[in-house]
Amino acid sequence: MKIRSVLSAAVLAVATTFAATQALAQEKFTLKLAETWGPNFPIFGDTTKNFAETVEKMSDGRLVIRIDSANKHKAPLGVFDMVKAGQYDMGHSASYYWKGKVPETLFFTSMPFGMNAMEQYAWFYHGGGMELMQEVYEPHNMLSFPGGNTGVQMGGWFRKEIKSLDDLKGLKMRIPGFAGEVFAEVGVNPTNIAPGELYTALERNTIDAVEWVGPALDLRLGFQQIADYYYTGWHEPATELQFLVNKRVWERLPADLQEIMRVAMRTASYDMLVHSQHANAEAWANIKEEHPNVQIKQFPDDIFKTMYDANKRLLKAAAERNELSARIVESQDTYLRQSRAYTDISERAYLNTMAEVE
Ligand code: CA
């Protein structure tokens, strides 16, 4: 009798667990995502759409992502706060936009004179970057994941040519992140402006120069109509967007849906990198015919050298701020050195060879 009752209790427990698992497997979840971008924003907005589509298909409709663009939530630079507070379950934005709130967030987008996209992805997924990013976001009740890379960004549109450090003094420029701080060291007044307001700001001389992304997105905003000088980049060699997820929301999801989210975020990010390359090359192909006024420029060496030194100085100061910053700066620095040594004999060697034979 005793054995039988133990057995039947065990059977009941298994049946109950099975029923609970089944119920969980049937449960449907809808997550609200706020993105910094306007509706139908190319490339960046495609990334959230791809992610949502993949999640829905892979989960057979058990997980649905509802995307609100900036026109809906009206707070393009408020995504951090909204996801933290649980007003939205998820966000899609860029980590360095939050440096005014949490200084350590700025390290997870792109650093001036830092890693390129390949090197930085390697750092995130194999070099400890993800763990460090999580340490920064955890106290804010969020998880952060890489959310798509632009590749090397262009250095920005200037209405007058920059020939010397003097030309930069007093210049008002839209440039976010650490690069803004580096530019400030050489006399520029940096500011961050939400994407939807950039063209008007440049047109009305609220700013003298603007840095946005690269040909595909910049030409669409029309900067070429009001500025002739398009500089090559140094400031954002691998801009990574981010997915933010409210931690309590994440923890409520069953393990299989969490894994589907992880995979969907990673593939959407990879797709953004290759989409960026494709769209930029396409936009660039006809530039000479369509916008002959546009001149590609590179800052003179002395400007680069001064900014490189300023960047080093600022990084050192950032590392002294607290123990976590010190570990992030050290991790990125060490990883960049090791990874770049290999990039030098692979990608760079190949490009140099091509430059010589062509
Ligand atoms: Ca940018």
Side-chain angles (χ1 to χ4, degrees):
M1 279 300 282
K2 199 177 172 196
I3 289 174
R4 271 180 76 178
S5 82
V6 168
L7 271 179
S8 56
V11 168
L12 185 68
V14 168
T16 310
T17 311
F18 182 71
T21 311
Q22 286 295 96
L24 200 61
Q26 297 310 317
E27 196 178 343
K28 290 200 164 106
F29 296 85
T30 300
L31 304 189
K32 277 170 58 188
L33 181 153
E35 60 183 4
T36 291
W37 337 114
N40 298 315
F41 200 92
I43 306 175
F44 293 12
D46 293 330
T47 307
T48 48
K49 286 197 189 88
N50 280 347
F51 162 70
E53 210 178 293
T54 307
V55 160
E56 196 164 340
K57 280 183 186 161
M58 286 180 78
S59 69
D60 196 22
R62 285 167 54 224
L63 180 54
V64 174
I65 310 292
R66 233 188 58 206
I67 301 166
D68 279 357
S69 303
N71 63 319
K72 183 84 184 281
H73 57 68
K74 313 273 187 220
L77 299 179
V79 171
F80 180 100
D81 288 336
M82 294 191 293
V83 178
K84 179 177 179 174
Q87 197 179 335
Y88 275 88
D89 305 308
M90 291 190 71
H92 191 247
S93 193
S95 190
Y96 64 4
Y97 290 158
W98 325 127
K99 69 169 185 152
K101 298 173 192 299
V102 184
E104 294 76 39
T105 54
L106 81 83
F107 296 111
F108 302 100
T109 305
S110 188
M111 296 301 286
F113 304 109
M115 293 179 266
N116 68 20
M118 180 73 94
E119 294 160 346
Q120 189 171 269
Y121 270 132
W123 176 70
F124 270 124
Y125 289 115
H126 299 276
M130 287 293 280
E131 290 78 2
L132 287 166
M133 179 156 69
Q134 217 35 64
E135 265 192 77
V136 170
Y137 280 90
E138 173 103 41
H140 301 279
N141 191 34
M142 288 185 280
L143 286 86
S144 174
F145 297 87
N149 203 288
T150 63
V152 176
Q153 292 203 356
M154 291 298 290
W157 298 86
F158 292 75
R159 300 186 89 165
K160 60 168 192 174
E161 193 176 349
I162 306 299
K163 292 179 178 157
S164 69
L165 280 163
D166 275 349
D167 293 331
L168 287 173
K169 298 228 159 41
L171 203 81
K172 286 174 291 176
M173 180 172 186
R174 183 272 178 188
I175 180 158
F178 206 64
E181 293 175 39
V182 175
F183 256 138
E185 290 283 303
V186 294
V188 171
N189 295 325
T191 171
N192 189 18
I193 298 173
E197 297 153 34
L198 293 177
Y199 182 87
T200 313
L202 186 63
E203 192 192 28
R204 294 186 185 162
N205 295 318
T206 311
I207 47 175
D208 307 304
V210 60
E211 171 285 341
W212 178 221
V213 182
L217 292 170
D218 292 6
L219 295 179
R220 186 177 166 271
L221 289 190
F223 301 132
Q224 70 280 5
Q225 291 156 16
I226 37 177
D228 292 337
Y229 302 101
Y230 198 20
Y231 278 76
T232 58
W234 57 278
H235 63 307
E236 296 194 39
T239 308
E240 187 67 38
L241 304 184
Q242 77 174 159
F243 283 108
L244 283 172
V245 188
N246 180 285
K247 195 160 173 274
R248 279 191 296 272
V249 170
W250 177 261
E251 283 164 358
R252 275 206 308 272
L253 293 173
D256 65 329
L257 293 186
Q258 287 180 346
E259 190 58 21
I260 286 173
M261 292 256 294
R262 270 195 207 95
V263 170
M265 287 189 275
R266 197 156 164 175
T267 51
S269 301
Y270 168 74
D271 194 63
M272 187 179 127
L273 176 63
V274 290
H275 187 184
S276 296
Q277 172 71 17
H278 174 76
N280 281 328
E282 207 168 55
W284 197 241
N286 302 318
I287 188 85
K288 283 198 178 69
E289 289 77 47
E290 287 171 15
H291 307 290
N293 61 308
V294 174
Q295 297 178 45
I296 289 292
K297 295 281 174 189
Q298 194 171 321
F299 291 124
D301 287 349
D302 61 327
I303 291 186
F304 272 137
K305 182 74 182 92
T306 307
M307 292 200 291
Y308 184 79
D309 292 343
N311 186 59
K312 280 236 140 119
R313 217 166 43 239
L314 288 170
L315 270 179
K316 193 165 175 284
E320 282 161 4
R321 206 166 39 211
N322 59 43
E323 186 268 339
L324 181 51
S325 292
R327 272 192 292 128
I328 300 169
V329 170
E330 163 70 17
S331 171
Q332 290 191 328
D333 185 53
T334 309
Y335 202 84
L336 172 60
R337 279 170 210 265
Q338 180 173 320
S339 210
R340 184 61 51 83
Y342 178 64
T343 303
D344 282 344
I345 62 147
S346 54
E347 302 286 333
R348 194 201 298 274
Y350 170 68
L351 294 175
N352 287 347
T353 304
M354 286 298 291
E356 278 166 26
V357 296
E358 274 184 329

